[in-house]
Amino acid sequence: MVGELHAGDPRAAAAAGTARFLAQVDPARPVAVAAHFDADGLSAAAILVQALRAAGRLAEPVIVGKTETPWDGTFAARLLALAPGGLVLADLGTRPAAVLPDMPTLVIDHHRPTGTPPAAITLSGHGLEPEPTSALIAWWAVGALGDQADLLWLAGIGLVGDMAEGAGFAELADAQARWGKTALRDATSLVNAPRRTAAADAGPALRLLLACDGPKGITKGEGPDAEALRAAKVEVREAVEAARRVAPRVVSDVALIRFTSPCQVHPLIAQQWRGRLRDKIVIAANDGYRPGWVHFAARSASGLDLLGFLAKHRPAGADGRYGNGHAQATGGALPLPVWDSFIAGLGF
Ligand SMILES: [Mn+2]
Protein backbone atom coordinates (compact mmCIF):
# COMPACT_ATOMS: atom_id res chain seq x y z
CA MET A 1 0.00 0.00 0.00
CA VAL A 2 1.41 3.36 -1.04
CA GLY A 3 0.22 6.77 0.09
CA GLU A 4 -2.12 8.38 2.52
CA LEU A 5 -5.59 7.06 1.76
CA HIS A 6 -5.16 3.76 3.56
CA ALA A 7 -5.32 4.96 7.15
CA GLY A 8 -8.72 6.12 8.32
CA ASP A 9 -11.22 8.03 6.19
CA PRO A 10 -9.85 8.36 2.63
CA ARG A 11 -12.02 11.41 1.89
CA ALA A 12 -10.58 13.37 4.81
CA ALA A 13 -7.07 12.08 4.07
CA ALA A 14 -7.30 13.24 0.43
CA ALA A 15 -8.30 16.76 1.49
CA ALA A 16 -5.64 16.91 4.21
CA GLY A 17 -2.91 15.73 1.83
CA THR A 18 -3.97 18.31 -0.75
CA ALA A 19 -3.90 21.13 1.82
CA ARG A 20 -0.34 20.12 2.75
CA PHE A 21 0.63 20.05 -0.94
CA LEU A 22 -0.81 23.53 -1.60
CA ALA A 23 1.01 24.94 1.42
CA GLN A 24 4.27 24.02 -0.39
CA VAL A 25 3.28 25.80 -3.64
CA ASP A 26 4.17 29.45 -4.30
CA PRO A 27 0.72 30.99 -5.02
CA ALA A 28 2.25 33.35 -7.59
CA ARG A 29 3.06 30.35 -9.78
CA PRO A 30 0.65 27.96 -11.52
CA VAL A 31 -0.06 24.44 -10.45
CA ALA A 32 0.59 22.21 -13.47
CA VAL A 33 -2.16 19.60 -13.56
CA ALA A 34 -0.87 16.68 -15.61
CA ALA A 35 -3.39 14.01 -16.49
CA HIS A 36 -4.07 10.94 -18.57
CA PHE A 37 -6.25 11.47 -21.65
CA ASP A 38 -9.09 9.07 -20.81
CA ALA A 39 -12.43 10.07 -19.27
CA ASP A 40 -11.16 9.49 -15.73
CA GLY A 41 -7.93 11.43 -16.21
CA LEU A 42 -9.54 14.33 -18.09
CA SER A 43 -12.31 14.60 -15.49
CA ALA A 44 -9.73 14.60 -12.70
CA ALA A 45 -7.89 17.42 -14.48
CA ALA A 46 -11.12 19.40 -14.98
CA ILE A 47 -12.02 19.04 -11.29
CA LEU A 48 -8.58 20.12 -10.08
CA VAL A 49 -8.17 23.04 -12.49
CA GLN A 50 -11.64 24.45 -11.83
CA ALA A 51 -11.44 24.10 -8.05
CA LEU A 52 -7.96 25.63 -7.91
CA ARG A 53 -8.97 28.58 -10.10
CA ALA A 54 -12.15 29.16 -8.10
CA ALA A 55 -9.97 29.30 -4.99
CA GLY A 56 -7.83 32.02 -6.56
CA ARG A 57 -4.94 29.76 -7.55
CA LEU A 58 -3.33 29.59 -10.98
CA ALA A 59 -3.71 26.19 -12.61
CA GLU A 60 -2.96 24.80 -16.07
CA PRO A 61 -3.91 21.35 -17.42
CA VAL A 62 -1.24 19.41 -19.30
CA ILE A 63 -2.54 16.23 -20.93
CA VAL A 64 -0.26 13.44 -22.12
CA GLY A 65 -0.24 12.82 -25.86
CA LYS A 66 -0.42 9.54 -27.75
CA THR A 67 2.32 7.14 -26.50
CA GLU A 68 3.66 9.82 -24.14
CA THR A 69 4.26 9.34 -20.41
CA PRO A 70 5.13 12.00 -17.81
CA TRP A 71 8.48 10.28 -17.34
CA ASP A 72 9.52 11.23 -20.89
CA GLY A 73 11.77 14.26 -21.28
CA THR A 74 9.37 15.83 -23.79
CA PHE A 75 6.62 15.92 -21.20
CA ALA A 76 8.86 17.37 -18.49
CA ALA A 77 9.79 20.15 -20.91
CA ARG A 78 6.12 20.98 -21.48
CA LEU A 79 5.59 21.18 -17.73
CA LEU A 80 8.66 23.33 -17.11
CA ALA A 81 7.56 25.77 -19.83
CA LEU A 82 4.74 26.78 -17.45
CA ALA A 83 7.26 27.66 -14.68
CA PRO A 84 5.01 25.84 -12.22
CA GLY A 85 5.15 26.13 -8.46
CA GLY A 86 3.73 22.65 -8.03
CA LEU A 87 2.77 19.55 -10.00
CA VAL A 88 -0.27 17.29 -9.80
CA LEU A 89 -0.09 13.92 -11.59
CA ALA A 90 -3.59 12.54 -12.10
CA ASP A 91 -4.38 9.02 -13.34
CA LEU A 92 -0.89 8.59 -14.75
CA GLY A 93 0.38 5.71 -12.63
CA THR A 94 2.34 5.67 -9.39
CA ARG A 95 6.03 5.14 -10.07
CA PRO A 96 9.22 5.30 -8.00
CA ALA A 97 10.73 8.17 -10.04
CA ALA A 98 10.09 11.90 -9.83
CA VAL A 99 8.67 13.61 -12.92
CA LEU A 100 10.17 16.97 -11.89
CA PRO A 101 12.79 16.54 -9.16
CA ASP A 102 12.53 19.09 -6.32
CA MET A 103 9.03 20.19 -7.43
CA PRO A 104 6.22 19.93 -4.84
CA THR A 105 4.17 17.03 -6.24
CA LEU A 106 0.75 15.54 -5.56
CA VAL A 107 0.05 12.10 -7.06
CA ILE A 108 -3.61 11.17 -7.56
CA ASP A 109 -4.00 7.68 -8.96
CA HIS A 110 -5.54 4.24 -8.65
CA HIS A 111 -3.28 1.99 -10.73
CA ARG A 112 -1.12 -0.56 -8.95
CA PRO A 113 1.95 1.37 -7.75
CA THR A 114 5.30 0.19 -9.07
CA GLY A 115 7.02 2.02 -6.21
CA THR A 116 6.73 5.04 -3.95
CA PRO A 117 7.17 8.44 -5.61
CA PRO A 118 10.00 10.25 -3.83
CA ALA A 119 9.08 13.38 -1.85
CA ALA A 120 5.53 13.45 -3.21
CA ILE A 121 2.21 13.41 -1.40
CA THR A 122 0.54 10.32 -2.82
CA LEU A 123 -3.22 9.81 -2.89
CA SER A 124 -3.50 6.28 -4.29
CA GLY A 125 -6.83 4.57 -4.31
CA HIS A 126 -5.27 1.25 -5.27
CA GLY A 127 -6.35 -1.50 -2.89
CA LEU A 128 -9.15 0.47 -1.25
CA GLU A 129 -12.46 -1.36 -1.10
CA PRO A 130 -14.31 -0.19 -3.12
CA GLU A 131 -11.57 1.27 -5.29
CA PRO A 132 -12.06 4.94 -6.20
CA THR A 133 -11.01 6.22 -9.60
CA SER A 134 -8.68 9.17 -10.07
CA ALA A 135 -11.49 11.67 -10.74
CA LEU A 136 -13.26 10.71 -7.52
CA ILE A 137 -10.03 11.03 -5.53
CA ALA A 138 -9.48 14.43 -7.19
CA TRP A 139 -12.96 15.47 -6.08
CA TRP A 140 -12.20 14.35 -2.52
CA ALA A 141 -8.87 16.22 -2.76
CA VAL A 142 -10.39 19.59 -3.71
CA GLY A 143 -12.62 19.36 -0.67
CA ALA A 144 -9.57 21.09 0.84
CA LEU A 145 -10.71 24.21 -1.07
CA GLY A 146 -14.36 24.27 0.00
CA ASP A 147 -17.65 22.80 -1.15
CA GLN A 148 -17.35 21.25 -4.64
CA ALA A 149 -20.89 19.93 -5.18
CA ASP A 150 -21.16 21.52 -8.64
CA LEU A 151 -18.14 19.52 -9.86
CA LEU A 152 -19.49 16.15 -8.74
CA TRP A 153 -20.73 15.21 -12.23
CA LEU A 154 -17.08 15.15 -13.34
CA ALA A 155 -16.27 12.55 -10.67
CA GLY A 156 -19.26 10.61 -11.99
CA ILE A 157 -17.77 10.61 -15.50
CA GLY A 158 -14.51 9.23 -14.12
CA LEU A 159 -16.31 6.45 -12.26
CA VAL A 160 -18.38 5.45 -15.29
CA GLY A 161 -15.35 5.74 -17.57
CA ASP A 162 -13.31 3.30 -15.50
CA MET A 163 -16.22 0.87 -15.09
CA ALA A 164 -16.71 1.60 -11.38
CA GLU A 165 -20.44 2.17 -11.85
CA GLY A 166 -21.27 -0.85 -9.73
CA ALA A 167 -18.75 -0.12 -6.97
CA GLY A 168 -21.34 1.48 -4.73
CA PHE A 169 -19.97 5.00 -4.27
CA ALA A 170 -22.56 7.36 -2.81
CA GLU A 171 -21.00 10.14 -4.87
CA LEU A 172 -22.05 8.42 -8.10
CA ALA A 173 -25.61 7.91 -6.88
CA ASP A 174 -25.75 11.62 -6.01
CA ALA A 175 -24.40 12.61 -9.42
CA GLN A 176 -26.86 10.30 -11.21
CA ALA A 177 -29.76 11.75 -9.24
CA ARG A 178 -28.81 15.33 -10.08
CA TRP A 179 -27.60 15.03 -13.68
CA GLY A 180 -29.13 11.78 -14.98
CA LYS A 181 -27.71 8.28 -15.35
CA THR A 182 -28.03 8.17 -19.14
CA ALA A 183 -26.56 11.64 -19.65
CA LEU A 184 -23.52 10.70 -17.55
CA ARG A 185 -23.05 7.45 -19.47
CA ASP A 186 -23.42 9.06 -22.89
CA ALA A 187 -21.11 11.95 -22.01
CA THR A 188 -18.49 9.47 -20.76
CA SER A 189 -18.62 7.52 -23.99
CA LEU A 190 -18.08 10.73 -25.99
CA VAL A 191 -15.26 12.01 -23.78
CA ASN A 192 -13.51 8.64 -24.00
CA ALA A 193 -13.62 8.44 -27.80
CA PRO A 194 -10.85 10.81 -28.98
CA ARG A 195 -8.12 9.10 -27.00
CA ARG A 196 -8.63 6.00 -29.14
CA THR A 197 -8.40 7.85 -32.47
CA ALA A 198 -5.27 8.07 -34.62
CA ALA A 199 -4.62 11.68 -33.55
CA ALA A 200 -5.61 11.15 -29.88
CA ASP A 201 -6.33 14.86 -29.43
CA ALA A 202 -7.75 15.36 -25.94
CA GLY A 203 -8.31 19.10 -26.53
CA PRO A 204 -12.02 19.06 -27.45
CA ALA A 205 -12.99 16.75 -24.57
CA LEU A 206 -11.01 18.73 -22.02
CA ARG A 207 -12.44 22.07 -23.19
CA LEU A 208 -15.98 20.69 -22.84
CA LEU A 209 -15.31 19.26 -19.38
CA LEU A 210 -13.94 22.64 -18.29
CA ALA A 211 -16.71 24.73 -19.87
CA CYS A 212 -19.90 22.72 -19.26
CA ASP A 213 -21.93 22.65 -16.06
CA GLY A 214 -23.15 19.08 -16.60
CA PRO A 215 -23.04 16.09 -18.98
CA LYS A 216 -25.83 17.41 -21.21
CA GLY A 217 -23.55 20.23 -22.29
CA ILE A 218 -21.51 17.46 -23.93
CA THR A 219 -24.25 15.12 -25.16
CA LYS A 220 -26.38 17.95 -26.57
CA GLY A 221 -23.49 20.21 -27.55
CA GLU A 222 -23.50 21.62 -31.08
CA GLY A 223 -20.16 23.40 -31.30
CA PRO A 224 -17.01 22.11 -33.04
CA ASP A 225 -15.74 20.41 -29.89
CA ALA A 226 -18.89 18.32 -29.41
CA GLU A 227 -18.82 17.56 -33.14
CA ALA A 228 -15.20 16.36 -32.82
CA LEU A 229 -16.24 13.88 -30.13
CA ARG A 230 -18.99 12.43 -32.32
CA ALA A 231 -16.59 12.11 -35.26
CA ALA A 232 -14.11 10.35 -32.97
CA LYS A 233 -16.72 7.74 -32.05
CA VAL A 234 -17.30 6.97 -35.73
CA GLU A 235 -13.55 6.66 -36.43
CA VAL A 236 -13.07 4.27 -33.50
CA ARG A 237 -16.12 2.18 -34.38
CA GLU A 238 -14.77 1.62 -37.90
CA ALA A 239 -11.33 0.66 -36.57
CA VAL A 240 -12.90 -1.87 -34.17
CA GLU A 241 -14.96 -3.38 -36.98
CA ALA A 242 -11.81 -3.96 -39.01
CA ALA A 243 -9.75 -5.43 -36.15
CA ARG A 244 -12.43 -7.78 -34.90
CA ARG A 245 -12.26 -9.74 -38.18
CA VAL A 246 -8.77 -11.00 -37.24
CA ALA A 247 -8.79 -14.56 -35.86
CA PRO A 248 -6.83 -15.38 -32.68
CA ARG A 249 -3.85 -17.72 -32.71
CA VAL A 250 -3.75 -19.93 -29.62
CA VAL A 251 -0.64 -21.46 -28.06
CA SER A 252 -1.31 -23.27 -24.76
CA ASP A 253 -3.09 -20.77 -22.50
CA VAL A 254 -2.42 -17.61 -24.56
CA ALA A 255 -4.61 -16.33 -27.40
CA LEU A 256 -2.91 -13.72 -29.59
CA ILE A 257 -4.77 -11.34 -31.89
CA ARG A 258 -2.37 -9.34 -34.02
CA PHE A 259 -3.49 -6.47 -36.26
CA THR A 260 -2.50 -3.04 -37.59
CA SER A 261 -4.46 0.11 -36.73
CA PRO A 262 -3.47 3.72 -35.96
CA CYS A 263 -6.27 3.71 -33.36
CA GLN A 264 -5.99 2.54 -29.77
CA VAL A 265 -8.51 -0.24 -30.21
CA HIS A 266 -6.37 -3.08 -28.84
CA PRO A 267 -7.95 -2.83 -25.36
CA LEU A 268 -11.43 -3.09 -26.91
CA ILE A 269 -10.45 -6.09 -29.03
CA ALA A 270 -8.86 -7.85 -26.02
CA GLN A 271 -11.99 -7.17 -24.01
CA GLN A 272 -14.23 -8.64 -26.73
CA TRP A 273 -12.20 -11.85 -27.07
CA ARG A 274 -11.90 -12.20 -23.30
CA GLY A 275 -15.63 -12.96 -23.20
CA ARG A 276 -15.31 -15.67 -25.88
CA LEU A 277 -12.05 -17.31 -24.77
CA ARG A 278 -12.75 -17.45 -21.08
CA ASP A 279 -9.95 -19.83 -20.05
CA LYS A 280 -7.25 -18.00 -22.05
CA ILE A 281 -4.99 -15.05 -21.50
CA VAL A 282 -6.07 -12.81 -24.36
CA ILE A 283 -3.43 -10.51 -25.86
CA ALA A 284 -4.53 -8.03 -28.55
CA ALA A 285 -1.45 -6.63 -30.27
CA ASN A 286 -1.44 -3.59 -32.54
CA ASP A 287 1.63 -2.83 -34.65
CA GLY A 288 0.07 0.22 -36.33
CA TYR A 289 -0.39 2.44 -33.29
CA ARG A 290 3.19 3.68 -33.26
CA PRO A 291 5.68 2.85 -36.03
CA GLY A 292 8.33 0.38 -34.91
CA TRP A 293 6.42 -0.62 -31.80
CA VAL A 294 3.81 -3.14 -30.75
CA HIS A 295 1.19 -1.84 -28.33
CA PHE A 296 -0.80 -4.58 -26.66
CA ALA A 297 -3.60 -5.15 -24.19
CA ALA A 298 -3.92 -8.25 -22.03
CA ARG A 299 -7.16 -9.47 -20.48
CA SER A 300 -8.32 -12.72 -18.90
CA ALA A 301 -11.62 -13.99 -17.59
CA SER A 302 -9.88 -16.66 -15.48
CA GLY A 303 -8.99 -14.39 -12.54
CA LEU A 304 -5.26 -14.87 -13.15
CA ASP A 305 -3.01 -11.98 -12.03
CA LEU A 306 -1.91 -10.67 -15.42
CA LEU A 307 0.58 -8.23 -13.91
CA GLY A 308 2.30 -11.25 -12.37
CA PHE A 309 2.09 -13.13 -15.66
CA LEU A 310 3.71 -10.27 -17.59
CA ALA A 311 6.36 -9.82 -14.90
CA LYS A 312 7.25 -13.52 -15.24
CA HIS A 313 7.57 -13.19 -19.03
CA ARG A 314 9.19 -9.75 -19.05
CA PRO A 315 11.59 -9.61 -22.04
CA ALA A 316 15.02 -8.00 -21.86
CA GLY A 317 14.66 -4.45 -23.21
CA ALA A 318 11.18 -3.80 -21.80
CA ASP A 319 10.92 -0.45 -20.02
CA GLY A 320 8.32 1.34 -17.87
CA ARG A 321 5.77 1.01 -20.66
CA TYR A 322 5.48 -2.73 -20.04
CA GLY A 323 3.12 -4.43 -17.62
CA ASN A 324 1.42 -1.57 -15.76
CA GLY A 325 -2.20 -1.13 -14.78
CA HIS A 326 -4.51 -3.56 -13.08
CA ALA A 327 -4.38 -7.30 -12.34
CA GLN A 328 -7.22 -7.97 -14.81
CA ALA A 329 -6.49 -5.19 -17.32
CA THR A 330 -2.93 -4.55 -18.35
CA GLY A 331 -0.70 -4.47 -21.40
CA GLY A 332 2.21 -2.42 -22.61
CA ALA A 333 4.34 -1.29 -25.49
CA LEU A 334 7.48 -2.93 -26.83
CA PRO A 335 9.83 -2.11 -29.71
CA LEU A 336 9.36 -4.69 -32.49
CA PRO A 337 12.49 -6.81 -31.80
CA VAL A 338 11.66 -6.93 -28.09
CA TRP A 339 8.08 -7.88 -28.91
CA ASP A 340 9.37 -10.73 -31.07
CA SER A 341 11.40 -12.15 -28.19
CA PHE A 342 8.41 -11.67 -25.82
CA ILE A 343 6.04 -13.76 -27.95
CA ALA A 344 8.77 -16.28 -28.73
CA GLY A 345 8.99 -16.74 -24.96
CA LEU A 346 5.26 -17.45 -24.93
CA GLY A 347 5.69 -20.14 -27.59
CA PHE A 348 4.66 -18.19 -30.70
MN1 LIG B 1 -8.37 5.92 -14.20
Side-chain angles (χ1 to χ4, degrees):
M1 298 296 180
V2 165
E4 331 222 332
L5 300 187
H6 295 273
D9 171 15
R11 291 163 177 80
T18 303
R20 275 195 291 119
F21 162 70
L22 288 173
Q24 299 171 27
V25 178
D26 175 357
R29 295 212 203 176
V31 177
V33 179
H36 187 223
F37 57 17
D38 71 356
D40 188 36
L42 293 174
S43 298
I47 288 168
L48 290 156
V49 167
Q50 291 190 76
L52 285 164
R53 287 177 180 168
R57 292 281 190 147
L58 302 167
E60 286 301 326
V62 188
I63 309 301
V64 292
K66 183 174 175 176
T67 77
E68 189 177 42
T69 89
W71 291 270
D72 299 336
T74 52
F75 194 77
R78 284 169 64 196
L79 295 171
L80 289 171
L82 297 170
L87 171 65
V88 183
L89 297 168
D91 203 42
L92 290 162
T94 305
R95 297 195 193 183
V99 169
L100 298 179
D102 305 321
M103 179 70 64
T105 299
L106 179 69
V107 175
I108 293 178
D109 189 43
H110 64 133
H111 301 92
R112 183 185 291 179
T114 58
T116 303
I121 294 169
T122 301
L123 310 178
S124 170
H126 183 79
L128 288 180
E129 191 53 54
E131 194 170 278
T133 67
S134 297
L136 181 58
I137 300 167
W139 190 78
W140 294 347
V142 296
L145 299 168
D147 177 64
Q148 308 293 346
D150 289 347
L151 299 179
L152 186 57
W153 68 281
L154 293 163
I157 285 191
L159 286 162
V160 175
D162 276 10
M163 291 177 283
E165 239 185 310
F169 284 106
E171 288 92 342
L172 181 59
D174 291 349
Q176 287 169 333
R178 179 167 166 189
W179 286 283
K181 210 174 190 172
T182 306
L184 281 170
R185 228 181 247 168
D186 292 349
T188 304
S189 166
L190 284 162
V191 167
N192 247 336
R195 60 128 165 182
R196 299 197 184 280
T197 62
D201 177 10
L206 178 65
R207 282 193 292 273
L208 287 166
L209 292 169
L210 286 168
C212 296
D213 60 3
K216 285 180 184 156
I218 297 169
T219 57
K220 298 195 186 304
E222 283 171 357
D225 286 337
E227 205 46 60
L229 301 193
R230 285 191 277 272
K233 278 194 79 158
V234 173
E235 178 184 337
V236 172
R237 193 181 308 134
E238 287 170 356
V240 168
E241 285 308 316
R244 69 190 297 173
R245 285 186 216 116
V246 177
R249 282 167 59 211
V250 177
V251 173
S252 70
D253 53 356
V254 178
L256 177 65
I257 302 107
R258 172 107 179 233
F259 60 93
T260 303
S261 169
C263 296
Q264 193 204 44
V265 292
H266 33 288
L268 303 175
I269 297 300
Q271 191 65 25
Q272 288 183 358
W273 281 104
R274 171 192 179 273
R276 293 164 70 176
L277 299 167
R278 299 196 64 83
D279 60 335
K280 301 293 178 205
I281 295 162
V282 174
I283 298 178
N286 182 357
D287 57 30
Y289 188 62
R290 177 184 185 185
W293 289 69
V294 177
H295 283 247
F296 68 98
R299 300 285 186 277
S300 175
S302 70
L304 186 90
D305 178 1
L306 296 173
L307 292 171
F309 171 83
L310 288 182
K312 197 171 102 194
H313 294 277
R314 185 182 192 91
D319 65 9
R321 292 174 176 81
Y322 175 90
N324 298 307
H326 307 276
Q328 301 303 314
T330 176
L334 294 169
L336 261 171
V338 182
W339 166 262
D340 286 340
S341 68
F342 168 61
I343 54 167
L346 296 177
F348 287 90

